Amino acid sequence: MTPTRRSFIAAGGVLLAGCAGTAPDPRAGARAELGSTGKLRAAINLGNPILASRDAAGEPRGVSVDLAREAARRLDLPIELVVFNSAGNVVEAVKARQVDLAFVAIDPVRAADTDYTAPYVIIEGAYLVRTASPLQRNEEVDRAGTRVVVGRGSAYDLYLTRELKSATLVRAPTSPAVTDMFLAQNLEVAAGVKQQLEADARRAGGVRLLPGRFMVIEQAMGVPKGRLAAQAWLSGFIEDMKASGFVAASLQKHGIEGAGVAPARAP
């Protein structure tokens, strides 16, 4: 080998070593996209009690709050919790880029404006009817003359809009308002988060849940469409949060039942 060729190979090795030593921090792109305003603006939906609620002092609490704070801590960003009362309002805020991070159900309609991680929590959707209702099974709901009330813009609204062929959808302003509207307007069925409807049944009386579930909702972290670095980093983050037991511990800490940790993303 000639001295010139040896020098060339040596120089190439130094260059490659230098490149390897300066590999970009995978957080850098995510930090830039999620913290473009100088802080991480996380949308918290109080309309879904499995994800978030208020503590005795009125502050947001829940698994989505815990995940948002942990993501901000790992990215070394200050956090702003932006509170909403319905999933529909959260989706509009993501679309308008008024928030940087959201916790929403995966749905193909929302995918037009939102990029998702894999799910971190799986929630059941259930039907609520009056005790004397002739309806006994979920499959019996989709009949002419049956009015189903659902929270406007919620995952249940989107799903039932596609799936119901004969029943009529009636939309409440928010998911927490569904049962009260169901009772006040003497409607046939209320649809929503199983845990929320169970709590409503205990509060209202004279009602019952149909057995089982009519859908499974995959709750994920979402970012405004096109923020690919943020989506990539959050996808790894959420897998770590599931595998480490963080999500399970958060659900337990906040006394959440009726929701399970989503399985690991397929490799």
Side-chain angles (χ1 to χ4, degrees):
M1 183 181 296
T2 65
T4 301
R5 182 168 177 79
R6 281 196 296 268
S7 298
F8 178 78
I9 292 173
V14 170
L15 178 61
L16 289 173
C19 291
T22 58
D25 183 345
R27 299 179 306 163
R31 192 173 189 276
E33 291 181 353
L34 292 170
S36 59
T37 63
K39 57 190 173 184
L40 173 57
R41 301 169 300 173
I44 302 299
N45 176 22
L46 298 179
N48 187 335
I50 286 179
L51 303 184
S53 60
R54 291 192 185 274
D55 63 18
E59 295 299 316
R61 64 188 292 273
V63 63
S64 61
V65 176
D66 292 346
L67 287 169
R69 292 190 186 281
E70 180 63 14
R73 185 190 70 79
R74 293 191 179 199
L75 291 170
D76 194 25
L77 286 170
I79 190 166
E80 177 186 357
L81 300 178
V82 186
V83 175
F84 297 89
N85 291 320
S86 74
N89 289 337
V90 170
V91 171
E92 288 303 312
V94 172
K95 185 176 180 179
R97 298 178 181 263
Q98 295 169 344
V99 295
D100 307 300
L101 172 64
F103 297 84
V104 290
I106 296 174
D107 187 273
V109 173
R110 294 173 177 170
D113 302 298
T114 306
D115 286 325
Y116 299 105
T117 66
Y120 62 93
V121 161
I122 294 177
I123 302 172
E124 295 180 327
Y127 289 133
L128 181 77
V129 299
R130 285 174 176 76
T131 302
S133 170
L135 297 173
Q136 299 296 325
R137 299 184 300 119
N138 292 317
E139 295 77 14
E140 297 172 359
V141 168
D142 193 12
R143 294 177 177 175
T146 299
R147 295 165 297 173
V148 182
V149 59
V150 66
R152 184 181 301 276
S154 66
Y156 315 97
D157 182 5
L158 299 175
Y159 176 83
L160 293 174
T161 295
R162 293 191 298 270
E163 296 298 320
L164 293 183
K165 308 304 179 186
S166 300
T168 301
L169 276 182
V170 179
R171 293 174 175 87
T174 65
S175 290
V178 162
T179 297
D180 288 339
M181 187 170 175
F182 158 75
L183 295 170
Q185 298 189 16
N186 198 32
L187 303 173
E188 286 74 36
V189 180
V193 177
K194 188 173 185 178
Q195 185 195 43
Q196 176 74 61
L197 296 181
E198 287 173 338
D200 289 346
R202 292 190 293 268
R203 168 176 62 86
V207 295
R208 59 182 169 84
L209 270 71
L210 295 184
R213 64 199 186 194
F214 69 85
M215 69 177 295
V216 174
I217 297 169
E218 295 181 321
Q219 289 287 340
M221 302 176 88
V223 296
K225 196 75 175 177
R227 296 188 178 180
L228 301 182
Q231 180 199 24
W233 185 84
L234 287 170
S235 293
F237 167 79
I238 209 64
E239 293 305 314
D240 184 37
M241 293 295 94
K242 291 186 292 186
S244 68
F246 184 101
V247 175
S250 179
L251 291 172
Q252 183 177 21
K253 177 178 70 174
H254 297 295
I256 299 302
E257 299 177 356
V261 179
R265 178 180 52 191

